[in-house]
Amino acid sequence: MSPPTPAASPFARFVQSEAFAGLLLVCTALIAFVWANSPAQGAYQTLRETYLTLSLGDARLGLSLEHWVNDGLMAVFFLLVGLEIKRELLIGELASRRRATLAACAAAGGMLVPGSLYALLNAGGPGAAGWGVPMATDIAFALGVLALLGSRIPLGLKVFLTALAIVDDLGAVLVIALFYTSDLNLGALALAALTWGAALLAGRRGVSSLKVYGVLGALLWVFVLQSGLHATIAGVLLALAIPIRRPEPAGYLASLTDAARPGRGEQVGARLRDLEDLLERAQSPLHRLEHALHPVVTFAVLPVFALMNAGVTVTAGGLGTISLGIVLGLLLGKPLGVVGGAWLAVRLGVASLPRRVTWPQMVGAGILAGIGFTMSLFVSNLAFEGGALLTQAKLGILIASVLAAVLGAGWLLVVSRSAPAGAGAARGIRAKEDGTA
């Protein structure tokens, strides 16, 4: 009989979920690309441009289906991103100073170098506004590729890539807020600030009802949308307000013990229901919301976003300096920046490589960081209003992301195959230093 399988850790469950999300994204993106280049491409464009209006009394909000997805559904994605950033900073991988420093330095290099390469190629041209496009990393795709490689890849590399992508997402949010914002409506901005203040106050007071944050989040989204900031920023702002401290209800432990006492018939059923309720209340609002949003984002938000945005019609002359800048930024700039930033942090003594991870494997992680799909497509929609420039950007993103996935997986297969022979002694030394076998 095989030994019982231990329960998966929260991080392991997260990796598995994001890996599946990556595979689902690939399929949805392929469907959109084929559809946009088929005889039925007119139906695809009609679907994207379908106008939907939401009415509440005298208030009306009308947007195309594409904008509902990019401004509305993606706010849910950014809410999840914000929750993950907050969790990692307070109690996760980024709570450790050395780990956080390694991820921050690698992410900073992985944003500055690709952006600079793109800017050099497109300075003064019509594509100059797209410098933020090659900065982002798609965590779902990257972890999906790592999952396909299985146990050949050390867990430390997966942890590093996850932390890198989370810091990278934080950088992308700042870039969007600071540089891809239209003219501001100060009245709506003031209402957004008041609503966010109410959410922050609720969080400080320990309000645990997700319904309260849901109402405040909906109002915040409307006000941010009207203010001129991109509406998805509302998701990140709301995430910062949701408390992560675990509530300690009065008499919680005594109630838990009482609910777990043996009994008969209806008593046992009632106590089990009480026990479920107590365990639910023991989780912080942040953990409950993050757990609830993961399947929504995995199975709905990201696939629908890919369907609306990956349908690029290939035409003659569709490639240009914008595409070249994005491809060079993601394929060359990302690994150079990520590995260079990490090497500098280690060299200065402020960080160290994850256990059992080698520099060649870090290069592989840098190549995978060049998979920019979701966030890069999102930024490209902000940088270019549409037409040929947006088509060039999307083609560059798709080409670079596919090549980064293939090259990154191939590189890691080669270096991980040779790692045990060359790094075995070093691993043994590290294990003894860490007190582990």
Side-chain angles (χ1 to χ4, degrees):
M1 179 182 293
S2 60
T5 304
S9 68
F11 178 76
R13 291 196 299 270
F14 171 75
V15 169
Q16 292 165 5
S17 172
E18 293 296 336
F20 183 79
L23 295 176
L24 187 60
L25 272 176
V26 170
C27 295
T28 315
L30 283 174
I31 291 172
F33 186 80
V34 172
W35 190 1
N37 290 277
S38 72
Q41 61 178 266
Y44 177 75
Q45 296 302 329
T46 300
L47 175 67
R48 295 177 62 195
E49 295 167 6
T50 299
Y51 200 77
L52 298 178
T53 301
L54 182 65
S55 300
L56 183 62
D58 294 332
R60 298 170 65 85
L61 180 61
L63 298 169
S64 68
L65 185 57
E66 181 185 6
H67 280 95
W68 275 114
V69 171
N70 292 346
D71 292 351
L73 282 185
M74 286 301 285
V76 179
F77 168 73
F78 275 85
L79 171 59
L80 180 59
V81 167
L83 293 173
E84 290 171 347
I85 291 172
K86 184 172 181 176
R87 171 176 51 79
E88 291 297 324
L89 285 172
L90 295 180
I91 62 173
E93 293 300 323
L94 301 179
S96 164
R97 183 179 61 82
R98 293 181 71 83
R99 290 177 182 172
T101 301
L102 182 69
C105 290
M111 295 183 75
L112 291 174
V113 177
S116 299
L117 283 176
Y118 179 94
L120 286 174
L121 281 172
N122 289 275
W131 57 269
V133 175
M135 287 184 168
T137 295
D138 191 306
I139 187 173
F141 270 161
L143 288 178
V145 173
L146 283 184
L148 293 176
L149 298 178
S151 59
R152 302 180 187 88
I153 306 303
L155 179 62
L157 192 68
K158 299 177 183 178
V159 173
F160 166 75
L161 188 58
T162 302
L164 167 69
I166 288 173
V167 178
D168 189 275
D169 283 345
L170 177 59
V173 168
L174 293 175
V175 167
I176 291 169
L178 295 175
F179 300 103
Y180 291 102
T181 296
S182 57
D183 295 333
L184 294 179
N185 180 329
L186 296 182
L189 193 61
L191 290 173
L194 288 174
T195 307
W196 188 39
L200 288 171
L201 181 61
R204 290 294 297 271
R205 292 289 179 88
V207 174
S208 60
S209 173
L210 294 181
K211 293 179 181 178
V212 172
Y213 297 107
V215 172
L216 290 173
L219 291 173
L220 181 61
W221 179 82
V222 172
F223 294 142
V224 171
L225 177 67
Q226 296 175 342
S227 73
L229 291 173
H230 198 273
T232 51
I233 300 299
V236 179
L237 294 177
L238 180 64
L240 298 178
I242 296 175
I244 192 172
R245 290 179 181 176
R246 191 175 78 174
E248 297 290 347
Y252 169 73
L253 292 177
S255 300
L256 188 63
T257 303
D258 181 67
R261 283 192 296 107
R264 291 187 305 173
E266 295 181 1
Q267 285 184 334
V268 174
R271 285 172 179 164
L272 285 175
R273 287 191 293 273
D274 291 341
L275 184 60
E276 289 177 356
D277 181 61
L278 288 166
L279 290 173
E280 176 73 14
R281 283 187 287 144
Q283 287 188 311
S284 73
L286 186 145
H287 284 97
R288 284 190 285 127
L289 183 57
E290 186 180 359
H291 179 74
L293 286 181
H294 258 300
V296 175
V297 171
T298 300
F299 298 113
V301 174
L302 291 180
V304 172
F305 173 80
L307 185 66
M308 289 290 107
N309 291 275
V312 184
T313 303
V314 179
T315 58
L319 297 175
T321 55
I322 293 176
S323 302
L324 180 60
I326 291 172
V327 171
L328 285 180
L330 289 174
L331 284 184
L332 180 62
K334 269 291 182 182
L336 284 176
V338 166
V339 177
W343 179 85
L344 185 62
V346 172
R347 183 73 173 176
L348 293 176
V350 296
S352 56
L353 284 186
R355 194 163 66 93
R356 298 186 178 179
V357 174
T358 64
W359 280 112
Q361 289 172 333
M362 289 288 285
V363 172
I367 298 173
L368 289 181
I371 304 174
F373 186 76
T374 301
M375 291 295 284
S376 292
L377 284 175
F378 187 81
V379 176
S380 69
N381 284 322
L382 302 180
F384 307 112
E385 292 297 326
L389 298 182
L390 183 58
T391 298
Q392 282 192 43
K394 288 186 175 183
L395 281 175
I397 293 166
L398 295 177
I399 292 170
S401 296
V402 170
L403 289 176
V406 173
L407 293 175
W411 177 275
L412 285 173
L413 277 175
V414 172
V415 299
S416 297
R417 202 173 285 155
S418 60
R427 289 181 183 179
I429 294 172
R430 280 187 183 180
K432 289 179 181 178
E433 290 176 350
D434 294 339
T436 59

